[in-house]
Amino acid sequence: MIARLLLGAALAASAVPAAAQDFVVNNARLVLGDGSDPIEGGHVVVRGGKVVEAGAGSASSATGLPVIDAQGKWVTPGLFAAMTDLGLWDVEAVDESNDTRPRGSPFGAALDVAPAINAASEPIEITRAAGITRATVTAYPGSTIFAGQGAVIDLGADPQAVEKARAFQFVVLGEQGARIAGRSRIAAHAALRNALREASDLSTRQDLSAAQDPRLAGSSAERPSDTLLTRFDAAALVPVVTGRQPLYVGVDRAADIRSVLALRQEFPKLDLVLVGAAEGWLVADEIAAARVPVLAQALLDLPAAFETLASTQSNIGRMQDAGVKVAIGGFWSTSTYARWETQFAGNLVALNKLPGAAGLSWGEAFAAISSVPAEISGMGGKAGVLKPGAHGDVVIWDGDPLELSSAPLRIFVDGVEQPLDNHQTRLRERYRTPAPGDLPKAYDW
Amino acid sequence: MRTRVTLALAMAGLLAGCATTGAGTRTAAAAPPADPYPSTYRAYPGEATALVGATVFDGAGGRIDNGTVLFADGKVVAVGGPDLAIPAQYRRIDGAGKFVTPGVIDVHSHLGDYPTPEVEANSDGNEATSPATPEVWAEHSVWPQDPGFTRALANGGVTALQILPGSANLMGGRSVTLKNVPSRTVQGMKFPGAPYSLKMACGENPKRVYGEKGQMPSTRMGNFAVNRQTWLDAKEYAAGDRQKRDLAKETLAGVLDGRILVQNHCYRADEMALVIDMAKEMGYKVTAFHHAVESYKIADLLRENDICSAVWADWYGFKMEAYDAIPENAALLAQSGACVIIHSDDANGIQRLNQEAAKAQADGRRMGIDIPDAQVVGWFTLNAAKAMGIDKVTGSLEGGKMADLVLWNGNPLSVYSRPEKVWIDGALMYDALDRERRPVSDFELGQPGEGDVK
């Protein structure tokens, strides 16, 4: 009945948040996550749910904390997955369980994923077991080009997933935005500009401009008579147009990227992040000059659309070489599970052996799934790194974390050790031998 | 949002079914129809070559360290150790630190039928107008200029692949097996002598597609009823003189004769068991279940019935019938002695079948199932060839077989490795070190990204 006992522990863990443990990990092949090389014989100290120390050598025995001997294994910060749909569906193709596409809603920019996120969904549990401890979550556009406001979450086995609600606004241009806005990029740009101007207009109202959350502030419904946006949507864009909330723009084609960068001529305070940017390498110098960060998929190399004709796995490497701050991001369903981040990063390292390709060094590749996406997501110094003050998210691996054969052995989120079992592991144990024994399989749990 | 488009395609692909092999329960009443769209594939010129010093995985479970592989005139001549004599005129290629495997084979692809760019005008994978369309042939949809073929070659080392109709239909039509060699015509890619397969699909897709149209089947029991009646009608046709041409029944009669294999898209264990019984009832054999995410629950049944499972390493949860998918599926099958194939069903996944196999191997190892690298390589080479009926001529490195092989710049089960050179029938069709040995499809000529490393 080992399995039953384990289940009991797992239930307890998910029902009541465990207290953070204070501990030391010594004798680690330590990866800080900041792009630097691994440190042999390193250590990390976690106290009160935070990293208080990480670096070469062993932690002083004077700490008096419980010591985990990593026995030379890889120890890293928890990984950060930027732009996921984690917690928004149980089974993607089962509509009832899928909250990613609010197609029937009259709202766009005002939509907010935070209250919909289910921390106990299997996709979150399975993703956590791959060493991912933080993520940003977004929905997709429904009836407007605005997908609404995404959140930063942690993947800890407790009910409190949302770390920062309304962390960014997501709008799609390119082919997808065009299709929604009126079957033309022209229509999408008009819709975007109109929305930002309505928000600008609204932002001049005293009661909204100072509000922490303008959606909920202000009681007057008075607006010009020719508005298109609902008041809720227009108010939600006030933080965007005033530069207080980042605007993530989904766009792939080089020409579309240029049009996005040009938006700042009209709306100078926009805090832009490019999402996608499959042809980013063609305009890498311009992106770098504009100091706009990029969340790009790692391995796109097919002309899947006319806006991605120049797709190449060297996209991220070339952008980075040009000085763009770029992370691996955009994990939507079967073609890009977030738990494949390490595989994606490892593939970018592999490119270094191909003449003409632009890959990443090992340290850069790891940073592209840890500290860099965290920084772009507003969690710089807090997630994806082992440095004082960061979340106590620590993963001990059974091998090189970017290698296909490796997996986490132990995972801590905010200093709390996480369960590694889930629906899949239970099935695995039940069917170690497929044929039933003295009772049907249903009695084996 | 490219991923969404990719997903849509993947889901369309998931609609496609699996195939079964005919058990030959009845004697053929007439000669098979002549091959009306014959292969015009001819091997391109190659030179006699000796790969020396690499680690060789022969695809059949064998591993030779510091191995020697000789090939000439399009065929493997010999495979051995460092002491294997190399004829004087052979070009020597130093493989020290590198690895050699048979060419990678994908048993489940929709390249050409669902090509990139993924626009409606090019979407030719599902004849979703009737639940049983055994009369359609995938080769009549293949666009040979699909850039996906070149990526599968360069990044995946893919030398042969089976193109299947999608899974909207219970009987989606005939597959076609291709050599991954660019050609102006699909006939120029057709794998000489490869048998056809019938693509079948069970489960969610057919009942959804036709249920939404308000027609049968709209349930799983409807799926079986349509299938069984169609088979009964086909048996009647097959028992007759077959003189009146009926394209649908010719395909099904080919299955009943054992000439056409069956590739059956089927996720759930309980449904696979029912399909096995249906095949016995009707007198045919399932060759492989594809997307068989629950095979681990009936590994014993699959072994006893000699049916392969073509699986992903770790796709999970995208549809209801994938809710019980587990990453140890392949390893549990292998442990039970059942046939394992890693398949892609995806224009991206086909570029990394080796990596998917490596993940599946590692997940097995963590639960105590240790499968040697050499056996794992067979999951994306020889086992796929077996399920496609071409294992007598490719899929492993044995004297006399086609010289379809990949020289990897490291262990193919490592994320850090890539194909360095790929030969098909002894012709060097890809070389990472030579920009001129990199195919560019007509579609990409003169456009952004032309000839890039990709």
Side-chain angles (χ1 to χ4, degrees):
Chain A
M1 294 287 90
I2 297 293
R4 196 181 294 261
L5 290 174
L6 285 174
L7 174 65
L11 284 174
S14 58
V16 183
Q21 301 151 256
D22 296 340
F23 61 91
V24 168
V25 181
N26 275 338
N27 194 16
R29 176 176 286 197
L30 189 71
V31 177
L32 298 177
D34 59 1
S36 57
D37 290 335
I39 300 167
E40 299 297 336
H43 74 284
V44 55
V45 180
V46 174
R47 199 193 286 271
K50 303 282 188 197
V51 175
V52 295
E53 192 181 310
S58 294
S60 160
S61 59
T63 63
L65 298 179
V67 174
I68 298 168
D69 181 354
Q71 299 178 313
K73 291 191 164 61
W74 295 75
V75 176
T76 73
L79 304 177
F80 195 105
M83 296 301 272
T84 74
D85 52 16
L86 290 168
L88 293 182
W89 52 266
D90 297 290
V91 176
E92 186 184 31
V94 172
D95 284 348
E96 301 90 324
S97 90
N98 188 333
D99 295 311
T100 58
R101 286 187 181 273
R103 286 190 185 90
S105 171
F107 300 110
L111 297 167
D112 177 358
V113 299
I117 292 169
N118 174 21
S121 67
E122 282 303 319
I124 283 188
E125 297 202 351
I126 290 168
T127 303
R128 178 203 309 139
I132 294 159
T133 59
R134 309 269 157 182
T136 52
V137 177
T138 182
Y140 314 120
S143 55
T144 83
I145 59 174
F146 292 98
Q149 300 168 91
V152 179
I153 66 166
D154 72 66
L155 276 66
D158 61 70
Q160 212 56 44
V162 176
E163 179 173 9
K164 183 179 183 186
R166 301 186 297 281
F168 57 92
Q169 174 69 241
F170 183 32
V171 66
V172 295
L173 295 175
E175 290 182 8
Q176 189 183 11
R179 193 165 55 244
I180 296 167
R183 301 196 174 183
S184 163
R185 284 177 167 81
I186 300 166
H189 274 276
L192 176 62
R193 283 170 165 76
N194 175 71
L196 294 178
R197 284 176 191 154
E198 286 193 29
S200 293
D201 177 54
L202 209 53
S203 74
T204 60
R205 279 172 45 174
Q206 202 60 38
D207 55 348
L208 283 186
S209 58
Q212 190 67 31
D213 181 0
R215 298 177 316 152
L216 308 175
S219 55
S220 169
E222 187 185 338
R223 299 172 63 200
S225 60
D226 66 342
T227 55
L228 282 176
L229 269 58
T230 65
R231 181 190 171 285
F232 201 40
D233 276 347
L237 288 170
V238 170
V240 169
V241 80
T242 55
R244 283 182 289 146
Q245 184 186 58
L247 179 64
Y248 286 26
V249 186
V251 73
D252 280 313
R253 180 183 276 177
D256 290 336
I257 293 169
R258 289 193 173 103
S259 293
V260 171
L261 299 180
L263 281 172
R264 280 210 187 124
Q265 293 166 17
E266 292 168 70
F267 306 98
K269 291 183 177 171
L270 289 181
D271 181 10
L272 295 170
V273 174
L274 295 173
V275 177
E279 292 192 345
W281 66 276
L282 289 173
V283 284
D285 291 341
E286 293 161 65
I287 299 170
R291 306 181 70 81
V292 171
V294 176
L295 298 168
Q297 293 191 22
L299 302 181
L300 295 186
D301 63 0
L302 289 162
F306 279 92
E307 62 184 359
T308 61
L309 290 178
S311 294
T312 167
Q313 295 180 24
S314 294
N315 187 36
I316 286 177
R318 289 173 185 169
M319 283 195 282
Q320 174 147 319
D321 289 346
V324 177
K325 175 177 280 199
V326 53
I328 297 175
F331 302 100
W332 293 303
S333 189
T334 50
S335 51
T336 51
Y337 291 113
R339 55 195 159 77
W340 289 352
E341 303 203 286
T342 50
Q343 183 180 2
F344 295 152
N347 270 279
L348 296 189
V349 176
L351 290 180
N352 291 324
K353 286 198 272 186
L354 291 187
L360 299 179
S361 71
W362 193 96
E364 290 169 343
F366 191 88
I369 55 173
S370 54
S371 62
V372 182
E375 287 167 16
I376 293 172
S377 305
M379 294 292 126
K382 294 181 186 172
V385 289
L386 295 177
K387 58 179 264 189
H391 286 297
D393 295 359
V394 180
V395 182
I396 304 174
W397 302 78
D398 63 4
D400 171 356
L402 302 190
E403 186 53 278
L404 301 161
S405 56
S406 304
L409 292 168
R410 301 179 74 174
I411 299 171
F412 298 84
V413 175
D414 287 324
V416 179
E417 182 148 24
Q418 299 294 310
L420 297 178
D421 56 341
N422 52 49
H423 180 64
Q424 290 187 314
T425 62
R426 302 298 306 288
L427 284 163
R428 176 191 73 202
E429 294 309 310
R430 174 175 278 188
Y431 286 99
R432 270 183 180 272
T433 53
D438 293 338
L439 280 171
K441 287 289 185 188
Y443 295 83
D444 178 12
W445 60 282
Chain B
M1 295 300 90
R2 193 56 24 225
T3 44
R4 307 311 303 176
V5 178
T6 306
L7 170 66
L9 229 207
M11 297 303 287
L14 296 174
L15 293 175
C18 351
T20 61
T21 50
T25 54
R26 86 172 15 266
T27 54
D35 183 6
Y37 306 93
S39 170
T40 57
Y41 170 79
R42 298 289 178 273
Y44 282 82
E47 56 182 324
T49 303
L51 293 178
V52 297
T55 302
V56 178
F57 292 125
D58 69 6
R63 171 185 178 133
I64 305 169
D65 293 324
N66 194 11
T68 302
V69 180
L70 305 179
F71 56 93
D73 300 323
K75 298 278 194 272
V76 175
V77 173
V79 180
D83 51 346
L84 186 65
I86 299 170
Q89 71 276 25
Y90 276 49
R91 176 191 176 203
R92 293 173 66 109
I93 294 179
D94 181 10
K98 300 174 185 175
F99 287 68
V100 180
T101 69
V104 175
I105 299 175
D106 191 0
V107 72
H108 193 124
S109 173
H110 300 293
L111 289 178
D113 278 12
Y114 283 121
T116 53
E118 298 161 351
V119 294
E120 183 60 29
N122 280 350
S123 174
D124 292 310
N126 272 307
E127 184 56 39
T129 51
S130 173
T133 56
E135 64 269 36
V136 307
W137 294 20
E139 67 200 75
H140 297 145
S141 278
V142 171
W143 181 41
Q145 297 299 338
D146 181 357
F149 289 116
T150 68
R151 310 298 193 271
L153 176 73
N155 295 330
V158 172
T159 57
L161 65 171
Q162 177 167 242
I163 312 302
L164 295 164
S167 53
N169 297 351
L170 297 164
M171 296 171 172
R174 289 196 197 197
S175 71
V176 63
T177 292
L178 304 177
K179 285 263 174 180
N180 194 18
V181 173
S183 176
R184 295 169 296 165
T185 65
V186 69
Q187 294 95 322
M189 300 177 75
K190 282 182 76 171
F191 195 108
Y196 285 105
S197 290
L198 169 65
K199 167 69 176 294
M200 294 185 68
C202 76
E204 293 177 15
N205 291 354
K207 75 162 196 154
R208 182 185 75 242
V209 170
Y210 294 96
E212 286 175 358
K213 297 177 197 276
Q215 72 177 84
M216 193 173 182
S218 69
T219 60
R220 284 182 161 85
M221 58 187 172
N223 285 350
F224 270 80
V226 174
N227 269 330
R228 293 174 75 212
Q229 191 61 55
T230 306
W231 281 118
L232 290 172
D233 294 348
K235 285 165 71 79
E236 194 174 309
Y237 169 87
D241 64 12
R242 305 190 188 186
Q243 289 307 300
K244 183 176 180 334
R245 296 291 303 273
D246 182 314
L247 294 175
K249 293 194 173 70
E250 282 178 3
T251 294
L252 298 178
V255 173
L256 296 168
D257 293 343
R259 288 181 288 107
I260 295 180
L261 313 178
V262 175
Q263 314 290 342
N264 204 328
H265 159 128
C266 216
Y267 284 70
R268 262 172 36 185
D270 54 330
E271 284 197 280
M272 286 188 261
L274 287 167
V275 168
I276 291 170
D277 279 353
M278 175 168 68
K280 289 174 179 169
E281 178 190 14
M282 297 301 163
Y284 69 95
K285 182 179 182 300
V286 177
T287 300
F289 286 117
H290 292 225
H291 322 327
V293 301
E294 286 193 16
S295 278
Y296 68 95
K297 296 184 182 179
I298 50 164
D300 48 349
L301 188 63
L302 294 165
R303 179 192 63 239
E304 288 156 14
N305 285 278
D306 189 28
I307 298 173
C308 291
S309 296
V311 301
W312 302 286
D314 59 359
W315 288 24
Y316 175 79
F318 46 94
K319 60 196 300 196
M320 196 63 213
E321 57 196 1
Y323 199 68
D324 282 3
I326 66 171
E328 296 85 359
N329 191 24
L332 283 164
L333 284 163
Q335 176 182 245
S336 292
C339 166
V340 178
I341 300 166
I342 299 292
H343 73 349
S344 80
D345 188 27
D346 183 82
N348 291 294
I350 195 173
Q351 302 178 41
R352 288 177 285 281
L353 289 170
N354 56 312
Q355 295 186 16
E356 297 308 298
K359 286 192 292 183
Q361 175 194 35
D363 282 308
R365 185 179 296 137
R366 272 187 287 276
M367 74 171 293
I369 302 172
D370 207 348
I371 304 163
D373 289 358
Q375 184 181 337
V376 170
V377 167
W379 293 354
F380 54 88
T381 58
L382 187 58
N383 286 6
K386 279 179 189 163
M388 291 155 65
I390 54 174
D391 54 307
K392 297 287 186 286
V393 292
T394 189
S396 63
L397 300 177
E398 297 175 58
K401 282 195 169 182
M402 293 167 167
D404 298 342
L405 64 168
V406 183
L407 176 67
W408 304 81
N409 63 17
N411 189 324
L413 301 180
S414 166
V415 76
Y416 302 123
S417 303
R418 290 270 179 158
E420 183 177 300
K421 292 179 170 61
V422 183
W423 290 267
I424 301 178
D425 286 304
L428 183 60
M429 303 310 294
Y430 173 72
D431 186 347
L433 311 180
D434 178 1
R435 196 167 179 275
E436 295 181 3
R437 293 280 169 168
R438 188 187 302 155
V440 175
S441 77
D442 288 359
F443 176 75
E444 297 189 273
L445 278 185
Q447 305 220 57
E450 171 193 350
D452 200 354
V453 284
K454 297 300 178 187

